Amino acid sequence: MFWGNRIDMTNIQEELKLIKKLLKTEWKEDLEQYKRKTFGRSLAERKADGICWYPVSVSKTKTGLADKLLVEVTHADPPSSHGFQSGKSVSLFSNTPENDSSRDRVSGVVNYVRGNRLMMTLGVENAPDWLDGGKLGVDLLFDENTYRQMDAAMDNVINANQGRLNTLKEILLGDTPPATTLPVKLDLDEDWLNESQLAAVQLVCSARDVAIIHGPPGTGKTTTLVASIHETLKRMHQVMVCAPSNAAVDLLVEKLVQKGIATLRIGHPARVDDDILNQTLDAKTSQHGSYKTLKKLKKEVAELRRKARQFKRNFSHQQRAQRQYLYDQVSQARREIDQLEDYIRFDIFQQTQVFACTFSGAGSQALKGMRFPVVFMDEAAQGLEPATWIPILTAEKVVMAGDHCQLPPTIKSFEAAAAGLRQTLFEKVIERQPQSARMLAMQYRMPELIMGFSSKIFYKNQLRAAPVTASHRLGPEEPILTFIDTAGSGFADFTDRETLSTQNPEEARFALGVMNSLLKRIGSAVFDENDWKIGLISPYRGQVELLKTLVRDDDSFLIIKSMRERLTIDTIDGFQGQERDLILISLVRSNARGEIGFLSDTRRMNVALTRAKRKLIVIGDSATLGVHPFYREFLDYVDENKCYTSIYELMED
C-alpha cells in the first residue's frame, strides 16, 4: 500500500512473497507446456511442434574450448517455426533400430541456428559411437536451472533483514528514499554525448544506491550505458555488467572491448557470439601462460588412470599396491590441477575490469562469493523481477537501463502475468523512485514524422529528433510515413486451429504487392549503393510464416525475392532492439467483431512503429482497429499529417 511516495515495509515483504508464488506458477505452466509437447508424443508430433529436428546429418565436428565436442548438423527440411535458438539446452540422439533413443543420447547447448544448420556444444569430449550410425535427431530440452536460481534469489531477498541487500530492497521497492547523490566531476572522453546523455552519466556516477537510464528507441541507450561504465571504472577497479539475453550481453561486451576495457564474458561458450569468444573464461584460460602446464598435468592424469585400469579383477598383493600407488599419484596430480586452475582463474579475474553475464549467469559458480561496487543492468525492462534480483544480490549500487514502454518479458502463465509478474523491477523503481531516473531525450533513428506519435503517447512529447534524421529518407519525393486503410476491402483475419496464430492471407498478398511496387519504383540498385535494409513485420507468427512462404514460392514477388539478402521478415518481438531503413507492418486484424487480440498491448506497437529509419508503411483495417483508443489516436495522427491512404486509392492507380 502506498503512503504518498512511501510503501509499508510489511507490504514489501508480502509483495516479494507474492512474486515468489507467481514465479512458481510460471515455472509450473512452462513445464506443463513443455510436457504437453513432449511426454508420450511421437517423433512426428514433436517435429510438428518445432521441438525436434529429425532426421539430421552430421556436417561437421571439431574440438572447441575446454576440449568440448562441437557438432554441426543439417536438416533437409527444417520446420518453418521451431524453438531452437542460441543458448537453448538440447539432446542429440540416435534412433537406429539397434540403438535406444531414450538411452543413446547426449546433452548439449545450441551455439547457433542458421537456416537448416544447427551447431551445438556437447557435454562430452569424445564423439559417441553411434554418431556415424545415421537416423540422428535433436530434441529441445526444458531447462529448470534458471527457475531454481530465480527462486533462490527471491528467498535471499525476502529473508534479508539487514546489510546492503536489505537496504537495496527497501530503496528499490520504494520503502526508503535513496541517499543524496554525491557531487562528481566527470572526466568524459565522450565529448559528443548530448545533454540528456551527459545528465544520465552524471546521475550514474553520483548516485549512491540506484540510477535509472530510461532509453526510448534510437536515443543511444547502449552508448550512454557504456560511457557510464567507462567513467565508473576511472573510480573503481571492477564492475558487473549484465542483461537478460545472451545477445544483449554480447553487444555490450563488443562495445566495451572496442573501448579497450578488459572484459570477461561469463557463461557457456556455446551461448556466446563467435566474435567475442576470446573474451570468455575458457578462451582466456587457454591463452594463459600456465595453460601448457595445466594441459600436461591433465594428460598425465589420464595416462595414470589408464595404467591403473589395466589391472584385472584378480591380482596379486604387489599389483594391488601398484594400482593404489597409481591412484595416489592421480589424487596428487588432481590437487595440483585444482591449485593451478584456481591460480589461473585468480590471475584472469585480477586483470578483469568488467564481468559480463546474463542475469542468471550472475549466479554462476564462477562468480560465487564475489561482490561488486556497481552492477549495471541493460535491457532491465525485459527481465522478470526474480531474474533481476540475481545480480542485485552481489551489488553495492544498482544501475538499470531500459525502456518500460517497449516489450516486457515473455510470460507463459496468463494467471501469473495478470496477478503482477508482468510488472518488472525496472518499472517499479522508475515509478516509486522517479528522482533516480533520467530519460534520454534525443533520438537519432527516425525523422520527426515517424517519431511523433510514439513521443506523444509514450514519452509525454519529450522526445526530440536529432537534426541528422531530417536526411533519413528513401528519396526527396518518397513519403516518410504511410498508413494504408484496408477497411471495406473484404480482407478477413482467421485463427489457425492448430497453431492458434492469426493470419490474413489477402492482406499478406497486398502487403507484398505494396513492397514489390515500392522497390521497383526506387530500384534495387539504390538499396545496394546505400546498403539499406528492409523489414517486413507482423504481430502474428502465422502471418510472418505466410509472408515468408509467399516470398519464397510466389513469382509475383520476384523483386522482393531478389533482395532477400537485405530483407528480414519477423514478428514485432523479433525486431525489438533492431532498426531497418524501410519497414512495412501488416497488422492482420480485420473482422466485423472489432477483435484486435494482443494488438491491444500497445507497448508491442510502440516497438513496431519505431523500427523504421527512413520510411514506415502500416497496413491495417481502420474499422477493426478503431475500436481501441490507441489506434483511434494513431488514425487521427496519420490523418492530421496527411499520411492516410485508402486501399481504394491504390487500386484506382
Side-chain angles (χ1 to χ4, degrees):
M1 175 177 181
F2 283 94
W3 296 346
N5 288 327
R6 186 176 171 83
I7 300 175
D8 178 18
M9 186 59 188
T10 304
N11 284 341
I12 283 180
Q13 288 297 95
E14 291 172 0
E15 179 182 355
L16 288 165
K17 288 175 182 177
L18 173 62
I19 294 299
K20 177 179 165 66
K21 180 181 177 181
L22 297 178
L23 176 67
K24 294 278 192 182
T25 303
E26 171 70 2
W27 186 349
K28 181 181 178 181
E29 176 60 26
D30 199 1
L31 181 57
E32 286 300 317
Q33 288 187 21
Y34 175 78
K35 286 179 178 179
R36 287 196 292 270
K37 290 181 177 179
T38 55
F39 289 4
R41 307 203 73 194
S42 68
L43 196 57
E45 289 173 320
R46 299 204 310 274
K47 287 168 59 179
D49 280 337
I51 58 172
C52 178
W53 274 23
Y54 182 88
V56 298
S57 57
V58 176
S59 53
K60 184 191 305 182
T61 62
K62 62 180 181 179
T63 301
L65 295 172
D67 297 324
K68 289 293 189 292
L69 180 67
L70 275 71
V71 175
E72 184 186 76
V73 298
T74 57
H75 194 309
D77 185 25
S80 57
S81 179
H82 58 77
F84 293 90
Q85 57 182 294
S86 172
K88 290 289 188 179
S89 298
V90 293
S91 177
L92 177 68
F93 65 87
S94 170
N95 198 42
T96 56
E98 60 270 22
N99 290 329
D100 178 2
S101 63
S102 65
R103 176 177 54 83
D104 293 315
R105 57 174 60 231
V106 59
S107 297
V109 176
V110 176
N111 293 59
Y112 60 73
V113 180
R114 296 172 185 163
N116 69 335
R117 296 181 296 132
L118 184 152
M119 174 71 86
M120 67 194 105
T121 299
L122 300 181
V124 294
E125 295 182 5
N126 300 310
D129 297 336
W130 43 262
L131 193 63
D132 298 322
K135 291 199 172 182
L136 301 175
V138 185
D139 276 330
L140 194 63
L141 298 180
F142 184 77
D143 187 358
E144 291 192 285
N145 183 55
T146 301
Y147 280 109
R148 293 193 185 97
Q149 286 184 305
M150 289 191 286
D151 188 56
M154 292 307 302
D155 282 337
N156 279 317
V157 177
I158 290 168
N159 294 328
N161 52 29
Q162 59 183 357
R164 189 57 178 162
L165 178 58
N166 181 60
T167 302
L168 286 176
K169 171 175 69 174
E170 294 178 1
I171 292 169
L172 296 176
L173 293 177
D175 180 68
T176 304
T180 306
T181 56
L182 299 165
V184 172
K185 181 175 173 55
L186 298 181
D187 182 27
L188 281 168
D189 301 323
E190 295 83 357
D191 55 2
W192 42 266
L193 291 176
N194 65 46
E195 183 180 344
S196 62
Q197 290 171 331
L198 281 169
V201 176
Q202 179 74 58
L203 174 69
V204 168
C205 293
S206 59
R208 295 184 184 183
D209 303 307
V210 60
I212 299 279
I213 301 174
H214 180 196
T219 54
K221 170 180 64 64
T222 301
T223 298
T224 307
L225 186 63
V226 169
S228 300
I229 295 166
H230 193 206
E231 188 69 15
T232 299
L233 287 169
K234 294 175 182 177
R235 299 164 176 80
M236 298 168 182
H237 176 56
Q238 293 178 326
V239 298
M240 176 189 280
V241 173
C242 52
S245 71
N246 286 290
V249 178
D250 290 345
L251 175 62
L252 281 168
V253 171
E254 183 182 343
K255 301 289 186 186
L256 292 166
V257 170
Q258 287 173 0
K259 293 190 74 68
I261 296 171
T263 305
L264 180 64
R265 174 66 160 96
I266 301 295
H268 195 298
R271 295 186 168 98
V272 176
D273 189 272
D274 289 348
D275 293 339
I276 60 166
L277 272 176
N278 284 340
Q279 310 308 321
T280 63
L281 183 58
D282 284 343
K284 293 194 175 190
T285 297
S286 66
Q287 296 160 7
H288 194 273
S290 299
Y291 182 69
K292 286 183 179 179
T293 304
L294 179 64
K295 201 165 186 179
K296 182 181 176 183
L297 279 170
K298 287 184 175 181
K299 282 184 177 180
E300 289 176 4
V301 166
E303 180 61 19
L304 287 168
R305 281 178 173 157
R306 186 189 65 78
K307 288 180 178 178
R309 288 167 182 162
Q310 285 179 340
F311 291 102
K312 303 196 186 309
R313 183 167 296 179
N314 298 313
F315 46 83
S316 66
H317 175 76
Q318 184 178 359
Q319 290 173 318
R320 184 178 290 108
Q322 178 64 17
R323 187 183 72 160
Q324 185 59 49
Y325 171 76
L326 290 171
Y327 278 130
D328 288 344
Q329 291 293 101
V330 167
S331 298
Q332 183 175 336
R334 279 299 326 166
R335 285 194 292 271
E336 291 181 37
I337 288 171
D338 291 343
Q339 290 172 0
L340 189 52
E341 285 179 334
D342 287 344
Y343 162 71
I344 292 173
R345 179 174 294 186
F346 175 79
D347 196 33
I348 292 170
F349 279 23
Q350 283 295 102
Q351 298 174 46
T352 297
Q353 294 175 280
V354 172
F355 291 81
C357 57
T358 60
F359 289 171
S360 60
S364 69
Q365 190 65 28
L367 298 175
K368 188 174 182 180
M370 294 189 69
R371 292 197 61 79
F372 297 92
V374 187
V375 168
F376 292 87
M377 310 171 74
D378 196 13
E379 304 296 357
Q382 292 182 46
L384 285 176
E385 179 176 340
T388 313
W389 283 111
I390 298 172
I392 294 175
L393 299 180
T394 70
E396 294 296 318
K397 180 168 93 174
V398 177
V399 177
M400 295 182 177
D403 182 13
H404 56 301
C405 300
Q406 295 187 64
L407 281 170
T410 301
I411 299 176
K412 301 286 181 69
S413 168
F414 176 81
E415 177 189 346
L421 193 60
R422 67 158 60 99
Q423 188 179 29
T424 63
L425 185 60
F426 181 94
E427 289 178 83
K428 291 179 179 180
V429 178
I430 206 169
E431 176 186 309
R432 300 175 187 181
Q433 304 287 15
Q435 72 275 30
S436 296
R438 295 291 182 276
M439 190 183 95
L440 306 181
M442 181 77 74
Q443 69 83 21
Y444 297 86
R445 177 184 298 161
M446 305 155 274
E448 188 172 359
L449 188 59
I450 295 177
M451 174 203 76
F453 180 70
S454 284
S455 179
K456 174 185 176 183
I457 299 299
F458 295 100
Y459 306 109
K460 301 177 182 177
N461 274 325
Q462 293 179 11
L463 269 187
R464 302 192 309 278
V468 68
T469 63
S471 64
H472 290 181
R473 306 187 68 139
L474 294 185
E477 304 301 321
E478 192 63 43
I480 293 172
L481 172 63
T482 302
F483 174 76
I484 303 175
D485 188 0
T486 64
S489 65
F491 296 174
D493 64 52
F494 76 93
T495 301
D496 186 274
R497 289 184 178 181
E498 290 188 8
T499 65
L500 299 179
S501 189
T502 304
Q503 296 181 359
N504 189 325
E506 292 89 350
E507 183 175 293
R509 286 187 170 278
F510 175 73
L512 290 174
V514 170
M515 177 74 78
N516 215 52
S517 298
L518 174 62
L519 297 179
K520 182 179 180 180
R521 183 171 70 249
I522 295 176
S524 59
V526 176
F527 278 81
D528 291 337
E529 289 166 11
N530 292 284
D531 194 27
W532 287 343
K533 301 293 195 301
I534 307 163
L536 189 49
I537 300 179
S538 178
Y540 293 94
R541 171 59 63 185
Q543 189 80 340
V544 167
E545 296 306 325
L546 177 58
L547 289 165
K548 288 180 178 179
T549 300
L550 289 170
V551 170
R552 185 187 66 218
D553 298 339
D554 194 324
D555 289 340
S556 304
F557 311 118
L558 286 175
I559 295 177
I560 298 177
K561 188 182 293 188
S562 72
M563 299 183 70
R564 60 184 176 272
E565 296 299 320
R566 300 196 169 279
L567 174 68
T568 304
I569 306 176
D570 207 343
T571 60
I572 295 173
D573 300 52
F575 266 93
Q576 174 128 328
Q578 301 186 47
E579 67 179 29
R580 296 293 187 273
D581 296 278
L582 166 62
I583 289 285
L584 186 149
I585 307 171
S586 169
L587 292 179
V588 178
R589 299 314 296 250
S590 180
N591 56 73
R593 304 174 303 280
E595 292 179 358
I596 64 170
F598 66 39
L599 285 187
S600 58
D601 182 350
T602 57
R603 288 188 291 183
R604 178 171 275 104
M605 280 308 301
N606 185 34
V607 173
L609 295 171
T610 54
R611 300 306 97 194
K613 188 175 180 180
R614 301 176 187 278
K615 182 176 178 66
L616 172 64
I617 304 171
V618 183
I619 299 175
D621 180 345
S622 64
T624 301
L625 298 171
V627 302
H628 193 285
F630 172 85
Y631 293 97
R632 284 201 299 273
E633 289 207 53
F634 178 69
L635 291 168
D636 289 342
Y637 180 81
V638 295
D639 194 41
E640 290 164 6
N641 288 281
K642 299 179 172 54
C643 301
Y644 176 92
T645 301
S646 168
I647 189 173
Y648 295 107
E649 295 176 48
L650 297 179
M651 286 178 173
E652 289 171 5
D653 294 342

